[in-house]
Structures are given as structure tokens and as C-alpha cells.
Amino acid sequence: MKGLYLFSLVFIFCSCVSESENESTITIEVNDFEEIKLSSEKHYFEEIINPSSLALQGDMVLISEYHNVPDEFPRIHIINSKDWTYDKPKGRYGKGPLETAIPEFIGSKDPDNFWVYDYNNRKISTFLFNDTILLASSDRKITDPSMGPISLVLAPNGNYLGSPRENENKILEFVPEGKLIGTYGKHERLKEKPELKNFQISLLNGGRFGGNPTIGIYVIASVYRDLLEIFDYHTANFISVIGSGTKLPEFEYHESKFGGMLSFAPDVPTKYQGISISEQYIFALYSGYSPLDYSNSGLTAKEIRVFDLEGNPKWRFILDRSVSQISINEQTHEIYGLTTDENPGIAVFKISKVLLE
């Protein structure tokens, strides 16, 4: 198959420490949601070049840049959502002490600090909100080989939870020093492709990972399957939410020195592109567009599917513009999204307070 789109690569191996065997499944249809249209206001900042992700911490919106931004530009931007002004840059590019290369935010409610995991440099860095220094205030190197390229979120007890890109388990738990202490959930075999091994299935099921440590609910949102996997940290139970688009996409599996990778044709539509969890609901950014659509028109996702914490469908928010990542502001009843137009910025969608009560 020519022109295949590279989705994921990375090899992660770890031994099983503990796992969850309590799993249930919910099957949904598009008609199960109440459809609501949302309009937005866009805020543009010339300092932001090619944003890759965003996170909300207090009143501050954190924006990271893609790896292809020139080295001399900062990797992180802080935006004040109270008045939508540019606060300051953070994150000097590099591989040295206190520098960062590919930052991924580890969300928290700390008013003074924020954390990023830089898997390229294999470290967790702490940044101060209130100083004007690009460098991190401290670094913590990760030595456990299980902690490779992986998205990290805080667990309720202060540990880290991660969803590895290639592993027999769905979720791994690490102590702050980076040592693996637990694993949760096994990838189920697929009747459509019984020949696939667990590591291959993990690549197919993988995608965005988010959580809310206050309530202990975490979600893996698959990029290439109509699948959400909801994990309750307190009970170690999983709920799989499977949509109507259950047909598996065609792909090829390749081995490399970095581990396995899946490749897809560029016209294969993607599913979930982002995840954000409030204290009552799961907000899943749904795509339906392919990488080819993005290349031709900048379209990534214009729909947010909202579920309760047990995976029951509530609303489909139809957006007036395409976004690539989302975050929820529960205090102001707003959704923030990174726009995918020629001059990317932050789109603000207002949600009716009545809906969320």
C-alpha cells in the first residue's frame, strides 16, 4: 500500500505488576446524543507559531509548540484566560539541564508551578508561573526504561499514570521518581484480526490520554478506532465505549529499531483527537476527518462528544470551526480549543450552564 500515513512508533516493555480484570462494554450510536451547535470567539497571539497542545491550570492556558519550530523559539506559552492576554513564554529548547525539547503537560491545580514530561530528554521538569525565566526551575531524570514515549497524568495519590503507545497493558503507574509500580488492563484480542498480538492491538487502540485526579477518572481515546476506554482508579475498573464505526481501518505493521509501528493510508478518517474530563463529564473531541483532509483544508475535528463518567452519551457539540485539542473551564462554562486554520489561536466555546447542572 503506497502513501501510507505513519501513526505511531515506540517500543515499551515492562513486567506485569498488578492489573484490572473488571471490564464492561457500552455500545453507542450517533442518535444517542442530543445535538447542540456551538459558536466560538477566537483569540490570536503572534508569539505562538505552530501549537501542538494546550492545558488549563487555574486561569492560565498552557500552549506547547511542535518539534519543528525553530530552535531559537520558546517551546511553551502562558495565556491569561481572564482577559486573553499573552502572559509569558517558557521552555528554552535543548537537551541540557532545565531545557526542554518536546514538552507534554502534566495537569494539576498547583497555583505556583506546572510540570511537563519531555520523553525526548527522559525527564519531568518543573516550571514556575511567576518568574520570567525560560528555563525550568528543576528537572527530574527518569531512569526506568518502561517510561518511554508516554502521556502522563497525575494519579489521586500523587503518582503518575501513563498510557503507553506499545504495551500489553492499557495503563501504567509510576512513582514520582519514575519507577514502575503497577499495570492496569489487558488489551482484548480482536475477532476481526485474531492474528494481531497484544502490542499491535495497543498501537491500534492507542491515542489521547487524559484524566481528572480529583475524581480519579481517566480516559484513553483511540485515534483510529471508535473507542473510548474509561478507567476508574479507585476501583481499577474499565468501561469500553464503542461507537457505530466499528470496522477496523486497513493498516500495515512494521518493525524497527524503535519498536513496532502502524501505518495507515492518508485518506483513512481518524476518530478521537482530544480528551478533557470535568468533575461530571467526559468531553471527547471527535474527528471523522483524515490526514489528507487536514493537508488539503486544515480540518481536524468539529465535534465534541460528551459522556457522563459511566460512559453514557449526553450531547454532541457541533463546532463552528476546526480544533485539534480541547480543555474545559468548569468555572466559566467554556471549552477552549486550538484552532487549525492558517493563523492558529484559541477558540472559546460557551456552554449553557443549564446543561452542566
Side-chain angles (χ1 to χ4, degrees):
M1 184 181 295
K2 295 182 178 179
L4 291 173
Y5 175 71
L6 180 62
F7 167 52
S8 174
L9 63 145
V10 176
F11 180 81
I12 304 169
F13 177 80
C14 71
S15 59
C16 181
V17 181
S18 63
E19 14 177 300
S20 165
E21 296 181 354
N22 302 315
E23 302 189 5
S24 58
T25 300
I26 296 175
T27 302
I28 62 169
E29 300 287 341
V30 172
N31 293 336
D32 294 333
F33 298 87
E34 177 187 352
E35 183 175 308
I36 298 174
K37 293 183 179 180
L38 296 183
S39 58
S40 64
E41 178 183 2
K42 177 184 171 182
H43 300 279
Y44 169 73
F45 304 91
E46 62 181 9
E47 296 88 348
I48 299 173
I49 301 173
N50 191 15
S52 62
S53 66
L54 85 166
L56 178 66
Q57 192 163 324
D59 295 321
M60 298 300 180
V61 178
L62 304 172
I63 306 287
S64 67
E65 296 275 11
Y66 272 111
H67 63 86
N68 57 0
V69 169
D71 295 353
E72 63 269 23
F73 288 93
R75 285 307 189 260
I76 299 169
H77 306 277
I78 303 177
I79 308 297
N80 191 330
S81 68
K82 280 189 173 182
D83 54 9
W84 293 107
T85 55
Y86 187 88
D87 186 70
K88 62 176 68 73
K90 285 284 185 177
R92 190 172 77 186
Y93 176 80
K95 298 182 179 181
L98 307 181
E99 296 177 326
T100 187
I102 307 176
E104 291 193 359
F105 300 116
I106 303 174
S108 81
K109 293 187 176 182
D110 191 308
D112 301 316
N113 307 281
F114 67 91
W115 293 272
V116 301
Y117 175 51
D118 183 352
Y119 64 76
N120 194 57
N121 287 333
R122 295 190 56 76
K123 64 182 180 180
I124 295 173
S125 299
T126 301
F127 289 86
L128 298 176
F129 273 115
N130 294 325
D131 69 18
T132 58
I133 301 171
L134 290 180
L135 294 172
S137 62
S138 64
D139 282 337
R140 186 166 64 251
K141 279 288 187 180
I142 301 300
T143 57
D144 193 317
S146 303
M147 184 95 84
I150 186 174
S151 297
L152 294 182
V153 294
L154 285 176
N157 60 3
N159 289 340
Y160 297 113
L161 297 179
S163 176
R165 289 180 172 88
E166 187 177 9
N167 197 281
E168 63 179 355
N169 296 106
K170 296 178 181 179
I171 292 176
L172 309 180
E173 182 174 3
F174 301 86
V175 295
E177 295 74 26
K179 180 181 178 182
L180 176 69
I181 64 166
T183 64
Y184 302 95
K186 293 282 191 179
H187 291 284
E188 297 82 10
R189 304 304 290 266
L190 301 176
K191 62 180 181 181
E192 303 94 325
K193 288 186 174 291
E195 72 278 9
L196 292 182
K197 300 177 181 178
N198 283 339
F199 282 13
Q200 296 168 312
I201 297 172
S202 74
L203 288 173
L204 184 60
N205 289 352
R208 316 308 181 192
F209 182 55
N212 187 326
T214 301
I215 58 176
I217 298 297
Y218 302 84
V219 178
I220 305 168
S222 178
V223 171
Y224 277 98
R225 292 189 65 194
D226 200 339
L227 172 68
L228 293 178
E229 297 189 272
I230 304 169
F231 174 65
D232 186 329
Y233 180 81
H234 299 296
T235 64
N237 291 342
F238 280 89
I239 300 173
S240 295
V241 181
I242 301 176
S244 56
T246 55
K247 183 179 179 181
L248 296 179
E250 293 187 9
F251 61 88
E252 291 182 358
Y253 177 75
H254 306 277
E255 293 279 0
S256 77
K257 64 179 181 180
F258 302 105
M261 68 181 76
L262 298 185
S263 55
F264 301 83
D267 60 350
V268 172
T270 59
K271 304 302 182 183
Y272 291 101
Q273 287 292 338
I275 196 77
S276 186
I277 303 167
S278 72
E279 294 195 9
Q280 290 182 287
Y281 299 105
I282 296 166
F283 297 79
L285 181 64
Y286 188 86
S287 177
Y289 297 108
S290 69
L292 189 60
D293 293 324
Y294 176 75
S295 298
N296 292 337
S297 59
L299 290 173
T300 296
K302 297 182 69 176
E303 175 183 337
I304 297 173
R305 296 184 176 183
V306 185
F307 304 81
D308 65 21
L309 301 180
E310 288 74 43
N312 300 301
K314 301 292 291 184
W315 307 285
R316 289 175 66 226
F317 293 152
I318 307 302
L319 312 181
D320 66 343
R321 67 175 79 235
S322 172
V323 298
S324 60
Q325 296 285 330
I326 58 171
S327 189
I328 308 301
N329 190 328
E330 295 185 71
Q331 281 65 49
T332 61
H333 301 95
E334 293 172 331
I335 301 173
Y336 304 148
L338 280 181
T339 70
T340 61
D341 49 10
E342 186 175 354
N343 297 303
I346 302 173
V348 180
F349 300 90
K350 276 282 188 182
I351 316 170
S352 171
K353 184 178 179 180
V354 177
L355 284 180
L356 303 182
E357 292 179 340

